[in-house]
Each structure stands twice: as structure tokens, then as C-alpha cells.
Amino acid sequence: MSAVFEQPTLWQRVKPVFLGFDGPLVFSMLLLAAAGLVTMYSAGYDHGTRFVDHGRNMLLALLILFVVAQVPPHRLMALAVPLYVVGIGLLVATAIFGITKKGATRWLNVGIVIQPSEVLKIAMPLMLAWWFQKRERRPRAADFLVALALLAIPVGLIIKQPDLGTAVLVLAAGLYVIFFAGLSWRLIVPVLLLAAIAVTALVLSEEYICQPDLKWPVMRDYQKHRVCTLLDPTQDPLGKGFHIIQGMIAIGSGGTTGKGFMNGTQTHLEFIPERTTDFIFAAFSEEFGLAGTIGLLLGFTILIFRGLMIAAEAPTLFARLLAGSITLSFFTYAFVNMGMVSGILPVVGVPLPFISYGGTAMVTLGLGLGILMSIAKSRRLMQS
């Protein structure tokens, strides 16, 4: 009697491909993407093709997410060193051949115009996770010093462009890996205390340190102005403080339920600067109010908590460090953007994930989520 072999159904064939698409992660991403499309349509309706371009960028990010989700974490680890080296090379090329806009040299023409610093948002945690995976048993003090050196090189090159916002994000992504790798609290707590003391001293001595003719070491004049504007935006309400003041007015005027879709006066009368990029959260809050903001925060909360769960359940140290760093990078994006628009942090040019306009940033977000999906998939396959 001949054996009978059943042909697998189409769903059985494609099911392994979709195992990496973690449900809560997909839900949070779709919620944020929907909010981004709706807000971009309202805020960017008179900005040419901004809405269409934003949708195209999202589709491109989704495609990258889908492809990366199929790549096992051990293959991602093999890309760590090459991607880091390429990223550093692109930053050096930008410093030499880059395109300068508004006094900043951040872009490079390689057939298309790209912002190479975006590459380091993923390459940096990849590289440091690879570094500590190779020293899995017990990292020594020298290993942490090398990790800090690997982090300092791209951060220094990005600050020189200058691009403080991206430098903060790359620095944070690297520090998250170092923290999860086992950096002692005895080293972390003194740094936090010194930071708290510095911030307190900055606030108390605002009148002296913000004098126009006083130079700050290391920081450029425009960075000094951003800090001083944060401390008291009313000193220059039509100049340096205009962004923060108008952002806070828009957020406050939204009230509980908002003014309604396409009805934001601060947005459509063009009081909000950069309303499709850095300050799009102000446009969103004005039209959808506190209720909409809570929904937006819920989307980010689900994404962050689910990402941390994926990190905790990751099968290897490399995957755990990488997932933890990428997840907390999403938190940093959201916290810094909402903070600077609300007037509690300096304006540093950090986009709001999935909401703000920006092609390279959107691709980076898709790549980061794809890596999280890949790690979640590897865990499920090991359990099955």
C-alpha cells in the first residue's frame, strides 16, 4: 500500500513568515502609523506632497520591517561590524563632501541625498551588542572602556556636523546597551547626581550664564540659546522663544477633546513652526486634545512594554542587549520630542516616531521594529 502524502496548504507554507509579526507590536505600530497619517494630512495639506510622501515612507519602512523580520538574530550579529564601519565612513565622507543646509553639514549625496547619522541609530547598538556578546561570561572594566570609545567616535562626528538631536539618540542607544550589559550602579548613580546638581545650578544661575556676551565652553552659541530659551522663553518671544511658546499654546488650546480634525488654528494659521516635523506633536494635541494625546501615549506604551518583554525573553545576550536598546530608543524619541514641544526640554530636533515627516528616520524606525520582530520570531521558533 503506497503512502499518501498531504500537500501543505498555502497558509501552512507562509505561516512561518508571519510568526515574527508579534501581535501587540503590530497593533501599537498600526495605531501610531494611523495617527501619523491623519496628523500629516491636516498639518501638511498645504505643504505640497508631504502627506503622499509620508505614506510612501511608511510603506517603505513596512517593507524593510517585513524583510528584516525574516533575518535571524545571529545573521544580524554578522552585520554589526561592517555596518558600524560603513556608518563611520559615511560620517567622515559627510564631513568632507557633505551638503550644508542652514549652517549644518548633515547630508550626503550618493545618488540620492541621505543623512548618514541615521545609520548609526541602528549600527551603534548592533556593534556594542556584538562587542559584549563576544565577552559574555564577565565583562571587565576594560571592555566597558572600549565600548565607550566605540560610542564616542560616531557621537563626536555627529556633534561636529552639528546635529545635537541625533547625537543624543545615538548616545542613548549606545548607553542603553552598556547599561544592560551590566554596568555597575556605583558608576551610574554618581553621574546621575552630578547631572542633577548641574541642572540645578543651571536653573539658579540663569540670569548670569545667559548673558549675550558670555561664551559657553564646548557648546555652540545656538545650543546655548536653546538652553537659555528653555529656561525663559519669554525673553525672546518673537525669536528664539517663538517655537516653545507657540507649541505650548497649541497644546493648551486643544483642551480635553481638541478643536477637531483640520480645525487647529495655531496649526493652519502657521503659528507652529516645523509643524510637519519636530513640532507635529503640538499640531496633533491642538486638534485631538488630551484624549488624543492619551491614545498616542497608549500606543507608545504598548510598543515599549512589549519591546522590553521581547528583550527579557530573548534567547541570547546579543539579542537581549539589542532588543532592550532599540526599545528604549523608541522611548527616548518620544520623550525628547514631546518634552521639547511641551517646554520641559531644549529644542534639539528629534522626530516623533511614525508621526513626524522624514524619509531616512522612517526607514530607521522600520529597521528597528524589524529587528524586534526578528528577535521575537527566534524566541517563538525555539519554543515550538
Side-chain angles (χ1 to χ4, degrees), residues 296-332:
L296 192 66
L297 291 173
L298 178 64
F300 282 116
T301 301
I302 295 172
L303 187 151
I304 292 164
F305 271 92
R306 186 55 189 165
L308 290 176
M309 289 181 65
I310 291 172
E313 298 171 352
T316 65
L317 176 64
F318 169 81
R320 187 160 61 251
L321 296 178
L322 184 59
S325 174
I326 289 175
T327 299
L328 290 186
S329 292
F330 282 109
F331 165 79
T332 305

Short mmCIF file of all heavy atoms in Angstrom, two decimals, residues 296-332:
data_model
loop_
_atom_site.label_atom_id
_atom_site.label_comp_id
_atom_site.label_asym_id
_atom_site.label_seq_id
_atom_site.Cartn_x
_atom_site.Cartn_y
_atom_site.Cartn_z
N LEU A 296 -2.31 58.41 21.99
CA LEU A 296 -0.96 58.36 21.41
C LEU A 296 0.03 57.78 22.41
O LEU A 296 0.87 56.93 22.07
CB LEU A 296 -0.53 59.77 20.99
CG LEU A 296 0.72 59.89 20.12
CD1 LEU A 296 0.49 59.25 18.75
CD2 LEU A 296 1.12 61.36 19.96
N LEU A 297 -0.06 58.23 23.66
CA LEU A 297 0.82 57.69 24.71
C LEU A 297 0.57 56.21 24.93
O LEU A 297 1.51 55.45 25.21
CB LEU A 297 0.60 58.46 26.01
CG LEU A 297 1.09 59.92 26.03
CD1 LEU A 297 0.67 60.61 27.31
CD2 LEU A 297 2.60 59.98 25.85
N LEU A 298 -0.68 55.78 24.80
CA LEU A 298 -1.00 54.36 24.93
C LEU A 298 -0.29 53.55 23.86
O LEU A 298 0.26 52.47 24.14
CB LEU A 298 -2.51 54.15 24.84
CG LEU A 298 -3.00 52.70 24.91
CD1 LEU A 298 -2.66 52.08 26.26
CD2 LEU A 298 -4.51 52.62 24.64
N GLY A 299 -0.28 54.06 22.62
CA GLY A 299 0.42 53.37 21.55
C GLY A 299 1.90 53.21 21.84
O GLY A 299 2.47 52.13 21.67
N PHE A 300 2.54 54.28 22.30
CA PHE A 300 3.96 54.21 22.64
C PHE A 300 4.20 53.30 23.84
O PHE A 300 5.20 52.57 23.89
CB PHE A 300 4.51 55.61 22.93
CG PHE A 300 4.78 56.42 21.70
CD1 PHE A 300 4.08 57.59 21.45
CD2 PHE A 300 5.72 56.02 20.77
CE1 PHE A 300 4.32 58.36 20.31
CE2 PHE A 300 5.97 56.77 19.62
CZ PHE A 300 5.26 57.93 19.40
N THR A 301 3.30 53.32 24.81
CA THR A 301 3.45 52.48 25.99
C THR A 301 3.40 51.00 25.63
O THR A 301 4.22 50.20 26.11
CB THR A 301 2.36 52.81 27.03
OG1 THR A 301 2.46 54.19 27.39
CG2 THR A 301 2.53 51.95 28.27
N ILE A 302 2.44 50.63 24.78
CA ILE A 302 2.34 49.23 24.35
C ILE A 302 3.60 48.81 23.62
O ILE A 302 4.16 47.73 23.85
CB ILE A 302 1.10 49.02 23.46
CG1 ILE A 302 -0.18 49.27 24.26
CG2 ILE A 302 1.08 47.60 22.88
CD1 ILE A 302 -1.44 49.28 23.41
N LEU A 303 4.08 49.67 22.72
CA LEU A 303 5.29 49.35 21.95
C LEU A 303 6.49 49.16 22.88
O LEU A 303 7.24 48.18 22.73
CB LEU A 303 5.56 50.48 20.95
CG LEU A 303 6.68 50.28 19.93
CD1 LEU A 303 6.38 51.07 18.65
CD2 LEU A 303 8.04 50.73 20.47
N ILE A 304 6.65 50.05 23.85
CA ILE A 304 7.82 49.98 24.72
C ILE A 304 7.76 48.78 25.65
O ILE A 304 8.74 48.04 25.81
CB ILE A 304 7.96 51.30 25.51
CG1 ILE A 304 8.33 52.43 24.54
CG2 ILE A 304 9.02 51.17 26.60
CD1 ILE A 304 8.12 53.82 25.11
N PHE A 305 6.61 48.55 26.27
CA PHE A 305 6.49 47.41 27.19
C PHE A 305 6.65 46.09 26.45
O PHE A 305 7.30 45.16 26.95
CB PHE A 305 5.15 47.46 27.92
CG PHE A 305 5.21 48.25 29.19
CD1 PHE A 305 4.90 49.60 29.21
CD2 PHE A 305 5.60 47.66 30.39
CE1 PHE A 305 4.96 50.34 30.37
CE2 PHE A 305 5.67 48.39 31.57
CZ PHE A 305 5.35 49.74 31.56
N ARG A 306 6.07 46.00 25.26
CA ARG A 306 6.20 44.76 24.50
C ARG A 306 7.65 44.55 24.07
O ARG A 306 8.16 43.42 24.09
CB ARG A 306 5.27 44.77 23.28
CG ARG A 306 5.25 43.45 22.52
CD ARG A 306 4.91 42.30 23.43
NE ARG A 306 5.09 41.02 22.77
CZ ARG A 306 5.14 39.86 23.40
NH1 ARG A 306 5.00 39.82 24.71
NH2 ARG A 306 5.32 38.74 22.74
N GLY A 307 8.31 45.63 23.66
CA GLY A 307 9.71 45.51 23.28
C GLY A 307 10.58 45.05 24.42
O GLY A 307 11.49 44.23 24.24
N LEU A 308 10.32 45.55 25.63
CA LEU A 308 11.09 45.13 26.79
C LEU A 308 10.82 43.67 27.14
O LEU A 308 11.73 42.94 27.59
CB LEU A 308 10.77 46.03 27.99
CG LEU A 308 11.29 47.46 27.90
CD1 LEU A 308 10.82 48.28 29.09
CD2 LEU A 308 12.81 47.51 27.77
N MET A 309 9.58 43.21 26.93
CA MET A 309 9.27 41.80 27.15
C MET A 309 10.02 40.92 26.16
O MET A 309 10.54 39.85 26.51
CB MET A 309 7.77 41.56 27.04
CG MET A 309 6.97 42.13 28.21
SD MET A 309 5.19 41.82 28.04
CE MET A 309 5.17 40.02 28.16
N ILE A 310 10.08 41.36 24.90
CA ILE A 310 10.84 40.62 23.89
C ILE A 310 12.31 40.56 24.28
O ILE A 310 12.97 39.52 24.14
CB ILE A 310 10.66 41.28 22.50
CG1 ILE A 310 9.23 41.09 22.00
CG2 ILE A 310 11.66 40.70 21.49
CD1 ILE A 310 8.90 41.87 20.74
N ALA A 311 12.84 41.67 24.80
CA ALA A 311 14.23 41.70 25.24
C ALA A 311 14.45 40.72 26.39
O ALA A 311 15.45 40.00 26.43
CB ALA A 311 14.63 43.11 25.65
N ALA A 312 13.53 40.70 27.34
CA ALA A 312 13.68 39.83 28.52
C ALA A 312 13.63 38.35 28.13
O ALA A 312 14.26 37.52 28.77
CB ALA A 312 12.58 40.14 29.53
N GLU A 313 12.88 38.03 27.06
CA GLU A 313 12.73 36.63 26.65
C GLU A 313 13.69 36.23 25.53
O GLU A 313 13.63 35.11 25.03
CB GLU A 313 11.30 36.40 26.17
CG GLU A 313 10.24 36.63 27.27
CD GLU A 313 8.83 36.61 26.72
OE1 GLU A 313 8.68 36.58 25.47
OE2 GLU A 313 7.88 36.64 27.52
N ALA A 314 14.58 37.14 25.13
CA ALA A 314 15.48 36.88 24.01
C ALA A 314 16.40 35.69 24.32
O ALA A 314 16.83 35.51 25.47
CB ALA A 314 16.31 38.12 23.71
N PRO A 315 16.73 34.87 23.31
CA PRO A 315 17.49 33.64 23.55
C PRO A 315 18.98 33.84 23.77
O PRO A 315 19.65 32.95 24.29
CB PRO A 315 17.24 32.83 22.27
CG PRO A 315 16.95 33.85 21.22
CD PRO A 315 16.24 34.97 21.92
N THR A 316 19.54 34.98 23.36
CA THR A 316 20.99 35.20 23.50
C THR A 316 21.24 36.57 24.11
O THR A 316 20.37 37.45 24.11
CB THR A 316 21.71 35.12 22.15
OG1 THR A 316 21.26 36.21 21.32
CG2 THR A 316 21.44 33.80 21.45
N LEU A 317 22.45 36.76 24.63
CA LEU A 317 22.83 38.06 25.19
C LEU A 317 22.79 39.13 24.11
O LEU A 317 22.31 40.25 24.35
CB LEU A 317 24.23 37.98 25.80
CG LEU A 317 24.79 39.30 26.34
CD1 LEU A 317 23.95 39.80 27.51
CD2 LEU A 317 26.25 39.14 26.75
N PHE A 318 23.27 38.81 22.91
CA PHE A 318 23.27 39.78 21.82
C PHE A 318 21.84 40.26 21.54
O PHE A 318 21.59 41.47 21.45
CB PHE A 318 23.86 39.14 20.55
CG PHE A 318 23.66 39.95 19.31
CD1 PHE A 318 24.50 41.02 19.03
CD2 PHE A 318 22.64 39.67 18.41
CE1 PHE A 318 24.32 41.80 17.88
CE2 PHE A 318 22.45 40.42 17.27
CZ PHE A 318 23.30 41.49 17.00
N ALA A 319 20.92 39.31 21.41
CA ALA A 319 19.53 39.67 21.11
C ALA A 319 18.91 40.46 22.25
O ALA A 319 18.16 41.41 22.04
CB ALA A 319 18.71 38.40 20.83
N ARG A 320 19.24 40.11 23.49
CA ARG A 320 18.69 40.80 24.65
C ARG A 320 19.17 42.25 24.71
O ARG A 320 18.38 43.17 24.93
CB ARG A 320 19.08 40.04 25.92
CG ARG A 320 18.43 40.56 27.18
CD ARG A 320 18.45 39.51 28.28
NE ARG A 320 19.80 39.10 28.66
CZ ARG A 320 20.33 37.92 28.39
NH1 ARG A 320 19.63 37.00 27.72
NH2 ARG A 320 21.56 37.61 28.79
N LEU A 321 20.47 42.45 24.52
CA LEU A 321 21.02 43.80 24.55
C LEU A 321 20.47 44.65 23.41
O LEU A 321 20.12 45.83 23.59
CB LEU A 321 22.54 43.75 24.47
CG LEU A 321 23.28 43.08 25.63
CD1 LEU A 321 24.78 43.08 25.37
CD2 LEU A 321 22.97 43.78 26.95
N LEU A 322 20.38 44.05 22.22
CA LEU A 322 19.92 44.78 21.05
C LEU A 322 18.45 45.17 21.18
O LEU A 322 18.08 46.33 20.93
CB LEU A 322 20.14 43.93 19.80
CG LEU A 322 19.81 44.58 18.45
CD1 LEU A 322 20.63 45.84 18.24
CD2 LEU A 322 20.06 43.59 17.31
N ALA A 323 17.62 44.21 21.59
CA ALA A 323 16.19 44.49 21.73
C ALA A 323 15.94 45.54 22.82
O ALA A 323 15.11 46.44 22.65
CB ALA A 323 15.43 43.21 22.06
N GLY A 324 16.65 45.44 23.94
CA GLY A 324 16.48 46.42 25.01
C GLY A 324 16.87 47.82 24.57
O GLY A 324 16.18 48.80 24.87
N SER A 325 17.99 47.93 23.85
CA SER A 325 18.46 49.23 23.40
C SER A 325 17.51 49.86 22.39
O SER A 325 17.16 51.04 22.48
CB SER A 325 19.85 49.10 22.79
OG SER A 325 20.28 50.33 22.23
N ILE A 326 17.07 49.07 21.41
CA ILE A 326 16.16 49.60 20.40
C ILE A 326 14.84 50.04 21.02
O ILE A 326 14.29 51.09 20.69
CB ILE A 326 15.92 48.54 19.29
CG1 ILE A 326 17.19 48.38 18.46
CG2 ILE A 326 14.75 48.94 18.40
CD1 ILE A 326 17.12 47.27 17.42
N THR A 327 14.33 49.24 21.95
CA THR A 327 13.06 49.59 22.60
C THR A 327 13.17 50.90 23.37
O THR A 327 12.31 51.78 23.24
CB THR A 327 12.64 48.46 23.56
OG1 THR A 327 12.46 47.25 22.82
CG2 THR A 327 11.34 48.81 24.25
N LEU A 328 14.22 51.05 24.18
CA LEU A 328 14.37 52.28 24.94
C LEU A 328 14.74 53.46 24.05
O LEU A 328 14.51 54.61 24.43
CB LEU A 328 15.43 52.10 26.03
CG LEU A 328 15.01 51.18 27.18
CD1 LEU A 328 16.07 51.18 28.28
CD2 LEU A 328 13.67 51.59 27.77
N SER A 329 15.25 53.19 22.85
CA SER A 329 15.47 54.27 21.88
C SER A 329 14.14 54.86 21.43
O SER A 329 14.02 56.08 21.25
CB SER A 329 16.26 53.76 20.68
OG SER A 329 17.59 53.43 21.04
N PHE A 330 13.13 54.00 21.24
CA PHE A 330 11.79 54.50 20.92
C PHE A 330 11.28 55.39 22.05
O PHE A 330 10.66 56.43 21.80
CB PHE A 330 10.83 53.34 20.68
CG PHE A 330 10.96 52.70 19.33
CD1 PHE A 330 11.49 51.42 19.19
CD2 PHE A 330 10.56 53.37 18.19
CE1 PHE A 330 11.62 50.84 17.94
CE2 PHE A 330 10.68 52.80 16.94
CZ PHE A 330 11.21 51.52 16.80
N PHE A 331 11.51 54.97 23.29
CA PHE A 331 11.12 55.79 24.44
C PHE A 331 11.83 57.14 24.38
O PHE A 331 11.21 58.19 24.63
CB PHE A 331 11.46 55.06 25.74
CG PHE A 331 11.44 55.96 26.95
CD1 PHE A 331 10.23 56.31 27.53
CD2 PHE A 331 12.62 56.44 27.49
CE1 PHE A 331 10.21 57.16 28.64
CE2 PHE A 331 12.61 57.27 28.59
CZ PHE A 331 11.40 57.64 29.18
N THR A 332 13.13 57.13 24.07
CA THR A 332 13.90 58.38 24.03
C THR A 332 13.36 59.30 22.95
O THR A 332 13.22 60.52 23.18
CB THR A 332 15.39 58.08 23.77
OG1 THR A 332 15.86 57.16 24.75
CG2 THR A 332 16.21 59.36 23.84
#
